[in-house]
Every structure is written in C-alpha cells, then in structure tokens.
Amino acid sequence: MLTIDLAAIAANWRLLKARVGRADCAAVLKADAYGLGASRVGPALAAAGCRHFFVAHIDEALALRPHLPAQATVAVLHGVPPGAEADAAAAGLVPVLNSRPQVDAWRAQAARRGRRLPAILQVDTGMSRLGLSPVEVEALAADPQALDGIDLVLVMSHLACADEPAHPANAAQRERFAAARRRLPAAPASLANSSGIFLGADWHFDLARPGAALYGVAPVPGAANPMRPVVRLQAKVIQTRAIDAGTPVGYGFGWCAPAATRIATVSVGYADGWLRSLSDRGTAWFDGVELPLVGRVSMDTATFDVGALPDGALPPGTLVDLIDARHGVDAVAAQAGTIGYEVLTSLGSRYARHYLGGDELGGIQTAPARDGVPAAMA
Ligand SMILES: *Cc1c(COP(=O)(O)O)cnc(C)c1O
C-alpha cells in the first residue's frame, strides 16, 4: 500500500517557493510525478498556487493538461517529436526547443497556423544532454528570422552537478548560461532544479524547476533534509515460519540463518519496485522494531528476519513499513546503492494508492491506483 501525502507535496512547494524569493517556482511532474501520480499531484500543486508545470514527453503533457487550470502552462522538456507539432500547438502545450530542428519545426508550425506560438529555448551549458550548444546559439543569434512567430517565454538550461554544492561546474554553468542569454532575445530565465535552489540566489533567475524535493527527496545529499516526507510504503505479511540455525532462505540459498529465528515472507518484490539490490540489505519496520531483509528479493516477495518480535506478532495480513517518515526514500536508496529518484520512480503501479490531503477538494481524498487510461489515449 502506497500512501502519498498531497498536503506534504504542497507544503514542500511552498517551502521551495519561499526559498527562491522573488523568482517563481514551477513543478516538474515527469514520469507520472516521479511515480506518485501526476493527475493527483498536479491539481494539489495548482491549488497551492503553482502555475508552471514541466513533464518530459508530449503524451505526459496531453494526459496532465485536463487536470490543471486553464491558465497553467504545461511545458514539454523533450520538445515535440517531429510530426506532432500540430497536436502540441492545438493542446496549448509549451515545448522546450532543444535543437535547431525543433526551433525550425515550431517556427513552421506558427507560420502554418498564422499566429505566434509560445516556446521555451534550452541552451546546453555543459551537460551535453539537451539544448543548443554555444555554436548553435551563435548561429541562431545571427539569423534574424530564426524565431519568427515564436514567443520566447523562457530561456533555460540544466545543472549537471547541483547536488554537489562545492563542484566548480555550478558556477561555470551559470556563467555560460548568462553568456548565452546575452546573445538571445530578452526572456525570463530558468536554471535551478531542486538542488540548484539550494546553491543560492545567484542560481534562481526567474523560475526554479524542482522535482525531487517536492516529493521529499533530500535536495542537498548529506545535509539535513528540509523537505516534508511524502511517501509511506507498506506491504502485507503473507506467512511466517520458525527456522533452525543453518536453514537457507530464498533463491540461491542466498542467506543462511546463523541461529534459530523466525522469517516473515512479505508481499513486495522487485516487480513492485522494491529493488533487487536490497537483497540482504533492506529493512522493514514494525512497532519501531527493525526487521532486516534476508536473502534475495524475489519478483513478488521478500523475506525478513523477524526474530526480534514476539512470536505471533505478525499474523498474515499485517502491514509492515518499508518507507515511512523516519526511514525515507533516501535511506532506502542508500541501502539499494542508488538515489531517491530511482526508488520513487521504481514504485510500480501494482500498489493500492491512497492520497492524503488534496484539500482543494475538501479534506482527505482517496483514489484508485491510476486513472486507468493509458496516457496516449487520454
Ligand atoms: C528532471 C528535471 C528537473 C527536476 O530535477 P530535480 O532534480 O528532480 O529537481 C528540472 N529540469 C530538468 C531539465 C529536468 O530534466
């Protein structure tokens, strides 16, 4: 069971908005709001005052659009794939133009429609992933017609090392960003993701684009996490058994009991996003007692040493905690050898999802797992 606290997400957005002072604060809802449900997270953030939303794909944008107020902007980080420009324009989406072909296709679409179309221009400032290179920025600046019919609502770039505050790339990227802006038509600017917000005011520009921090991931790894926890993951005990010293547990006999103990088999596995790298390393919690994961994580189950609990403490159906306020997404990520982002986005659609908060709709709301409609059809 996955419980998602929409009020905590809204509170996290307000905290980030306060951090960026006079700048505005968007929200990144790509990958179904980092696995938590964009159709529920979007309205909760809109109710908190958020007006700018980013997703990765046009399908994500088309699915999210009807859940947001008309005045909200939905920006597509990957831009529009060739041939989908008319659909994107008709839906009122704002593409992030990452390359000269994307710029040219959007200009052509504006000409075809006989009206100006909004767009965001991304420049690459060192990450070598998306956006115009400095040479391409020069070429664009030298072509007076390049942006004809395009309303440049934002110039943006993305930080590669913002989660390492002391990394020299942070200042270098900011300088390159400023240099690119000087060559382009005047437009508001955006550079900071979650971690970038915590680099300081020099990185805030006009609009911040946090994702992970909204969902409770620590924006500055290693430092105290100012964000409110958002996710609680619980799974049911299927059965428990007493085993003798020397008894192997799980695939490959991956673990052998050093002493007699009890094992609980819990209904969570790597198909649920409880990563296989948590084999022999994860933990569950019950009544404040830590229950070590022993043996390999299977597709649908994981086994925990529950010898520290009284016999009978975990009858079948009992819920144990896997992620909660005290043992959050970042702690699980550290055990799994990954980052909180991957833990969140791995949480499969198999869980019953319960939403807390969402007070725009009057108190506690619950909803089924997803909308039940594939994004492409929505
Ligand atoms: C994913 C993404 C973000 C949000 O990043 P977080 O680290 O989750 O805050 C912002 N901007 C771009 C371009 C992204 O791809």
Side-chain angles (χ1 to χ4, degrees):
M1 182 162 94
L2 187 62
T3 305
I4 297 153
D5 188 343
L6 296 172
I9 295 176
N12 286 339
W13 182 80
R14 283 188 215 100
L15 185 148
L16 296 169
K17 172 100 174 72
R19 269 312 289 207
V20 297
R22 279 198 304 275
D24 204 350
C25 191
V28 179
L29 268 60
K30 61 193 181 189
D32 201 24
Y34 291 46
L36 302 184
S39 66
R40 300 301 307 269
V41 171
L45 286 172
C50 182
R51 283 295 167 267
H52 303 288
F53 297 84
F54 287 82
V55 293
H57 301 156
I58 183 171
D59 282 355
E60 294 177 337
L62 293 170
L64 177 61
R65 182 69 268 184
H67 297 284
L68 295 177
Q71 69 271 31
T73 62
V74 179
V76 187
L77 288 166
H78 291 186
V80 179
E85 291 83 4
D87 288 346
L93 304 180
V94 181
V96 176
L97 306 176
N98 294 297
S99 66
R100 192 57 195 263
Q102 286 190 343
V103 171
D104 295 343
W106 199 240
R107 184 184 62 242
Q109 183 59 216
R112 201 159 298 140
R113 296 188 163 251
R115 66 178 176 90
R116 297 179 70 75
L117 291 176
I120 297 168
L121 186 68
Q122 174 149 227
V123 297
D124 177 43
T125 53
M127 194 174 177
S128 306
R129 188 177 72 166
L130 290 170
L132 300 188
S133 70
V135 170
E136 290 166 323
V137 168
E138 282 310 317
L140 191 83
D143 179 350
Q145 270 90 56
L147 294 171
D148 274 0
I150 295 178
D151 263 336
L152 202 55
V153 297
L154 194 71
V155 175
M156 65 171 266
S157 190
H158 192 48
L159 295 165
C161 307
D163 57 340
E164 298 174 56
H167 202 296
N170 295 318
Q173 286 198 266
R174 190 193 55 199
E175 294 313 314
R176 287 188 208 122
F177 186 52
R181 285 188 73 204
R182 286 194 288 272
R183 305 294 298 130
L184 293 167
S190 174
L191 182 60
N193 65 338
S194 299
S195 301
I197 291 171
F198 292 82
L199 292 175
D202 286 350
W203 280 265
H204 293 167
F205 292 91
D206 301 299
L207 181 73
R209 306 184 311 268
L214 295 172
Y215 312 115
V217 172
V220 187
N225 185 357
M227 312 317 299
R228 257 171 69 176
V230 166
V231 170
R232 182 176 189 190
L233 178 63
Q234 298 163 287
K236 277 183 183 156
V237 173
I238 306 168
Q239 67 172 162
T240 54
R241 74 184 65 245
I243 60 170
D244 294 328
T247 308
V249 173
Y251 279 122
F253 286 1
W255 184 81
C256 236
T261 189
R262 278 184 307 280
I263 297 294
T265 303
V266 172
S267 182
V268 70
Y270 58 78
D272 307 292
W274 190 248
L275 301 171
R276 192 166 178 274
S277 55
L278 290 165
S279 295
D280 281 320
R281 305 174 68 174
T283 0
W285 299 82
F286 183 77
D287 256 356
V289 177
E290 181 171 357
L291 309 172
L293 194 161
V294 294
R296 291 187 197 161
V297 175
S298 312
M299 185 183 292
D300 314 298
T301 57
T303 39
F304 295 85
D305 183 343
V306 300
L309 290 172
D311 195 8
L314 295 176
T318 306
L319 288 168
V320 296
D321 276 309
L322 298 169
I323 300 175
D324 65 13
R326 274 170 307 163
H327 314 98
V329 170
D330 292 300
V332 172
Q335 288 178 324
T338 182
I339 54 175
Y341 296 66
E342 193 177 28
V343 170
L344 279 181
T345 56
S346 299
L347 297 175
S349 49
R350 226 179 182 189
Y351 300 108
R353 285 168 191 234
H354 295 275
Y355 288 92
L356 305 177
D359 30 41
E360 82 283 7
L361 300 167
I364 292 186
Q365 302 286 326
T366 61
R370 298 223 174 162
D371 287 335
V373 182
M377 292 167 57

